């Protein structure tokens, strides 16, 4: 219609008069001009009608975009809610165990980790889908804003979940140490009881027997420390293997490995140097969409810290236990000598 208007050949003066309505068609005697004006008005009305239709369709398109955005976001929220329900159920089970004096098992914590990893994957997929859909909207319009707000919320959730993964990794890595500390408490309680019995014993034979029990408990205490250290070392070795495996599991990870200065390569460099992977680097890896690798990094860090703690305690235990055994053996030998002399 615009081309038709341009082809009519009316002067700018007449176009301005038509648009303002400042003329009377009856006062025009030039029939050719009358025809031109009539055609111009016809096509101008059709063009304006098109603009009105386009405006109406644009409003409908915007509303459709908003409706689709709301449905998509609602669908994503249901997916996340479904995962969170599974996590809450396992947490409730762990809480019930603790009520009866039982600790969370490794499988309990790993299950929660796996669910958090699935949630991060879901949020990453959502962000990618939302980002692609943002290009179908107009920058700053209502649909665009809904998508943008959801991406910001998802990104914040991913950061929180990454921290939750790290917390669970630490809890899981410290299970052998927790087991050792509980064993230590039980042994200490038994030793206190034996000390009381020893103090009240009247015969050297009874005292010697009690000291023999204390020797066994002392050895058991050291065995628990060494066992914890052995387990944490094994866990650390496994975490390194898992991290290397993770570099082959995530989608497009081969591309991620190419960059010599990339987060993945930096993470492996830290592992090779037996150092912790910086938390900011793990967040970067998670933010880039590699949740399996992110979890593996968190598990490695936790295993490294737990192993350092367990090894220090085992070394300290070996020193102190050696002296405790020597002292108890000396007491027992002294009792034996007294009995023999009498």
């Amino acid at each position: 219609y615009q081309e038709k208007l341009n082809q009519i050949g009316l002067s700018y003066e007449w176009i301005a008069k038509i648009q303002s309505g400042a003329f009377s068609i009856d006062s025009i005697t030039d029939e050719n001009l009358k025809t031109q004006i009539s055609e111009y008005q016809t096509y101008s009305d059709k063009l304006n009608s098109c603009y009105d239709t386009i405006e109406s369709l644009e409003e409908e398109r915007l509303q459709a975009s908003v409706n689709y955005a709301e449905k998509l976001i609602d669908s994503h929220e249901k997916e996340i809610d479904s995962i969170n329900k599974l996590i809450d159920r396992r947490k409730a089970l762990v809480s019930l165990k603790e009520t009866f004096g039982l600790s969370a098992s490794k499988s309990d914590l790993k299950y929660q980790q796996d669910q958090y990893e699935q949630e991060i994957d879901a949020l990453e997929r959502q962000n990618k889908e939302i980002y692609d859909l943002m290009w179908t909207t107009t920058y700053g319009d209502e649909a665009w804003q809904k998508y943008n707000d959801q991406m910001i919320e998802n990104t914040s959730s991913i950061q929180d979940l990454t921290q939750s993964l790290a917390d669970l990794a630490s809890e899981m890595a410290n299970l052998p140490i927790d087991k050792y500390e509980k064993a230590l408490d039980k042994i200490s309680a038994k030793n206190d009881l034996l000390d009381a019995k020893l103090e009240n014993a009247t015969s050297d034979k009874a005292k010697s027997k009690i000291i023999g029990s204390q020797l066994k408990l002392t050895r058991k205490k050291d065995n628990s420390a060494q066992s914890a250290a052995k387990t944490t070392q094994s866990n650390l070795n496994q975490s390194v293997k898992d991290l290397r495996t993770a570099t082959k599991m995530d989608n497009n990870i081969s591309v991620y490995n190419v960059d010599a200065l990339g987060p993945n390569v930096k993470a492996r460099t830290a592992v090779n140097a037996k150092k912790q992977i910086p938390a900011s680097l793990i967040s970067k890896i998670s933010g880039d969409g590699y949740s399996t690798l992110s979890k593996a990094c968190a598990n490695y860090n936790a295993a490294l810290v737990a192993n350092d703690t367990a090894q220090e305690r085992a070394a300290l235990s070996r020193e102190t236990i050696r002296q405790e055994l020597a002292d108890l053996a000396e007491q027992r030998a002294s009792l034996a000598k007294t009995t023999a002399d009498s």
Side-chain angles (χ1 to χ4, degrees):
Y1 294 137
Q2 186 62 59
E3 288 181 7
K4 289 287 187 182
L5 289 173
N6 295 336
Q7 291 170 4
I8 290 173
L10 277 176
S11 66
Y12 289 117
E13 180 183 357
W14 271 107
I15 290 174
K17 287 181 179 181
I18 293 170
Q19 290 175 345
S20 65
F23 77 99
S24 173
I25 192 71
D26 295 332
S27 65
I28 299 172
T29 58
D30 186 336
E31 293 299 325
N32 183 54
L33 179 58
K34 279 186 178 183
T35 301
Q36 286 179 309
I37 291 173
S38 177
E39 288 181 354
Y40 190 92
Q41 286 178 319
T42 298
Y43 287 119
S44 179
D45 289 344
K46 290 182 177 181
L47 181 61
N48 288 332
S49 178
C50 279
Y51 284 141
D52 290 342
T53 302
I54 289 171
E55 184 178 353
S56 176
L57 288 171
E58 178 59 27
E59 289 176 358
E60 290 179 13
R61 185 199 66 79
L62 175 59
Q63 188 57 52
S65 294
V66 171
N67 291 342
Y68 185 80
E70 289 175 347
K71 286 182 179 179
L72 178 68
I73 291 170
D74 183 60
S75 173
H76 289 166
E77 287 177 349
K78 286 179 179 177
E79 181 182 9
I80 297 303
D81 286 344
S82 177
I83 296 173
N84 281 331
K85 283 179 181 177
L86 294 174
I87 294 172
D88 289 341
R89 285 177 190 171
R90 185 53 69 99
K91 284 183 176 179
L93 176 61
V94 171
S95 179
L96 183 62
K97 283 184 175 182
E98 290 173 347
T99 302
F100 291 97
L102 301 173
S103 300
S105 67
K106 187 174 182 179
S107 61
D108 288 327
L109 301 176
K110 187 178 184 305
Y111 178 86
Q112 291 180 57
Q113 265 203 332
D114 291 343
Q115 295 304 317
Y116 281 139
E117 184 184 357
Q118 284 188 35
E119 192 168 339
I120 290 173
D121 285 340
L123 290 169
E124 289 291 355
R125 288 197 309 273
Q126 290 172 20
N127 273 358
K128 185 179 184 306
E129 186 176 358
I130 287 172
Y131 179 78
D132 291 340
L133 285 169
M134 286 177 75
W135 290 96
T136 67
T137 65
T138 301
Y139 177 80
D141 69 16
E142 188 177 354
W144 184 94
Q145 194 61 53
K146 282 182 179 293
Y147 286 140
N148 188 61
D149 290 346
Q150 189 62 40
M151 280 191 70
I152 292 172
E153 184 179 333
N154 286 353
T155 301
S156 176
S157 294
I158 288 170
Q159 292 174 347
D160 292 341
L161 288 166
T162 300
Q163 183 57 51
S164 295
L165 280 176
D167 293 341
L168 282 168
S170 179
E171 192 174 347
M172 192 157 52
N174 281 299
L175 284 176
I177 297 174
D178 294 341
K179 183 180 178 181
Y180 163 65
E181 289 178 344
K182 287 181 179 179
L184 206 60
D185 289 340
K186 288 181 180 179
I187 291 170
S188 295
K190 288 180 180 179
N191 251 330
D192 289 343
L193 183 60
L194 289 174
D195 283 340
K197 286 183 176 181
L198 184 62
E199 188 174 343
N200 293 318
T202 56
S203 68
D204 289 345
K205 184 178 179 181
K207 290 179 180 179
S208 179
K209 186 177 179 181
I210 293 169
I211 292 173
S213 297
Q214 289 180 319
L215 282 166
K216 288 180 181 179
L217 283 177
T218 302
R219 293 191 186 96
K220 189 174 180 180
K221 184 164 57 174
D222 186 50
N223 288 340
S224 295
Q226 305 311 320
S227 177
K230 184 178 179 181
T231 303
T232 57
Q233 182 64 60
S234 176
N235 290 344
L236 176 59
N237 295 341
Q238 185 61 49
S239 73
V240 172
K241 291 179 183 178
D242 290 344
L243 192 146
R244 287 170 180 159
T245 301
T247 62
K248 304 171 186 176
M249 289 179 63
D250 279 314
N251 293 331
N252 300 318
I253 198 73
S254 58
V255 177
Y256 203 51
N257 288 335
V258 170
D259 185 1
L261 298 177
N264 182 33
V265 176
K266 288 181 179 178
R268 284 187 285 133
T269 299
V271 172
N272 292 337
K274 297 181 180 180
K275 294 181 179 179
Q276 282 201 66
I277 301 168
S280 58
L281 197 58
I282 298 176
S283 295
K284 169 65 177 170
I285 291 170
S286 179
D288 287 343
Y290 300 103
S291 60
T292 303
L293 180 58
S294 171
K295 183 180 77 171
C297 290
N299 286 346
Y300 163 77
N301 273 0
L304 183 66
V305 172
N307 187 56
D308 286 347
T309 300
Q311 298 303 328
E312 287 177 5
R313 292 190 181 186
L316 180 61
S317 172
R318 192 170 282 121
E319 275 184 44
T320 56
I321 294 300
R322 187 183 296 116
Q323 187 58 51
E324 287 179 24
L325 288 173
D327 291 343
L328 287 169
E330 186 178 345
Q331 287 182 47
R332 202 177 193 187
S334 177
L335 285 171
K337 184 175 184 303
T338 302
T339 302
D341 289 344
S342 63

